[in-house]
Amino acid sequence: MGIRNYKYLIYIVILIIASSCVGGKYAYEFESGKNLDFSNGKWIFNEVQSNSESKNNKRLYGESYEEFRKILGDSLIDLTSLRNISLVEPEIKFEPSQTELKELYKNSKCDFLINVRGQIISNNASSFYTNDQNLSYSTSNRSAVFIKIFDLKNGILISSSNGKAISTEEHSDLEKNGTLNWTTRAEPMMVRAAEGLIMKYNKYRTDK
C-alpha cells in the first residue's frame, strides 16, 4: 500500500471513529425540584416531544425512558401500557393545566407525570473540517432538553429542569493550518443531554 493510500485509510478510520462519538459541552440547570423522592407512587412517562425527525424522537424517548427506569424500576409506566388498562386522554400536554392533571390522576390511578421535550436549536457547523487560519469565525450545533415532573393528585409542578448542549466549529490562526477537527450534530447531543439530566435526578434523589 502506498503512503498516499495509507494516509487516506487513516483519514477514513478517523472519520468513522469521530462520527461514532458524541462530543460537545453540556450544562444542566434545575429551576425547581432538584431533590425528589422517587420511592413512592406510580409514575407515568409521557410521549416525548421535539422538533427533530421521527427517528431522533424515538431515540430520545427510548434513552430517556431507560434512564428513568433505572431510577423507578417497575413504578414507571409508559403511556401505551397505561392506555391498555386505563381510560386516559389520547394526548397529554407538556404543560397540562391543574384541572387536566387532576383528571389524569382520577383516570389513571397514577401519582406522577414525567414530561420530556427536546429542541434542536441549530445545526450550522460542519461535521468535519480542517482549520483555515485565513478564516476567523465560529459556528455551532446546539440543542436542549427540558423535563417537567408533576404531582397529579395536587395538580402541581414539582420539578422543572433543562440541559443544553453545544459543539462549535472554530477556525483560528492560533491552530495549525489543515488540522482536522470535527463537531457533533445537534440530534445526538440532544439525546446525550437528556441522559445526563436524568442522571442528575438520580444523583440528587433523596430516597437513596
Side-chain angles (χ1 to χ4, degrees):
M1 181 183 291
I3 294 177
R4 187 173 182 179
N5 289 336
Y6 180 76
K7 287 182 177 180
Y8 179 75
L9 179 61
I10 294 296
Y11 179 77
I12 294 298
V13 170
I14 291 173
L15 293 186
I16 292 172
I17 293 174
S19 63
S20 65
C21 298
V22 179
K25 296 181 180 179
Y26 299 81
Y28 302 101
E29 178 185 17
F30 283 83
E31 298 166 6
S32 63
K34 184 177 182 178
N35 307 103
L36 296 183
D37 182 347
F38 289 100
S39 63
N40 298 306
K42 294 181 180 179
W43 302 68
I44 302 170
F45 188 79
N46 196 6
E47 300 290 345
V48 304
Q49 303 174 16
S50 83
N51 60 343
S52 185
E53 295 177 0
S54 175
K55 63 179 181 179
N56 299 314
N57 216 37
K58 288 179 180 177
R59 189 179 171 203
L60 176 62
Y61 175 90
E63 297 296 335
S64 299
Y65 178 83
E66 288 304 319
E67 287 300 325
F68 270 116
R69 190 166 176 79
K70 291 176 184 177
I71 300 173
L72 291 160
D74 292 338
S75 297
L76 184 67
I77 184 169
D78 64 89
L79 205 53
T80 301
S81 300
L82 181 63
R83 289 192 181 112
N84 290 331
I85 58 175
S86 303
L87 196 62
V88 297
E89 293 295 323
E91 181 180 346
I92 300 174
K93 299 175 184 176
F94 184 71
E95 296 187 75
S97 67
Q98 185 178 64
T99 300
E100 289 169 330
L101 290 168
K102 290 185 174 182
E103 186 69 16
L104 181 58
Y105 172 74
K106 176 183 174 182
N107 293 334
S108 69
K109 305 296 188 293
C110 293
D111 305 286
F112 302 97
L113 170 68
I114 300 172
N115 282 343
V116 177
R117 186 181 73 196
Q119 181 182 9
I120 304 300
I121 300 171
S122 66
N123 249 331
N124 299 323
S126 305
S127 295
F128 302 95
Y129 67 97
T130 54
N131 186 60
D132 187 342
Q133 292 181 338
N134 296 319
L135 301 176
S136 181
Y137 77 91
S138 65
T139 186
S140 62
N141 301 331
R142 296 172 180 262
S143 56
V145 66
F146 306 89
I147 294 177
K148 290 187 181 293
I149 302 178
F150 299 89
D151 176 333
L152 296 178
K153 182 178 181 179
N154 297 301
I156 59 173
L157 176 71
I158 60 172
S159 179
S160 178
S161 62
N162 66 78
K164 296 177 181 177
I166 181 172
S167 185
T168 304
E169 173 187 343
E170 187 169 7
H171 295 267
S172 170
D173 58 6
L174 300 178
E175 188 174 10
K176 184 179 177 181
N177 239 355
T179 302
L180 177 64
N181 296 289
W182 58 81
T183 62
T184 300
R185 290 187 61 79
E187 292 84 359
M189 288 196 299
M190 175 180 68
V191 176
R192 177 61 62 85
E195 292 173 328
L197 185 55
I198 298 167
M199 287 178 186
K200 298 290 183 186
Y201 276 102
N202 194 21
K203 178 180 180 180
Y204 298 121
R205 60 193 293 188
T206 60
D207 58 301
K208 278 190 172 181

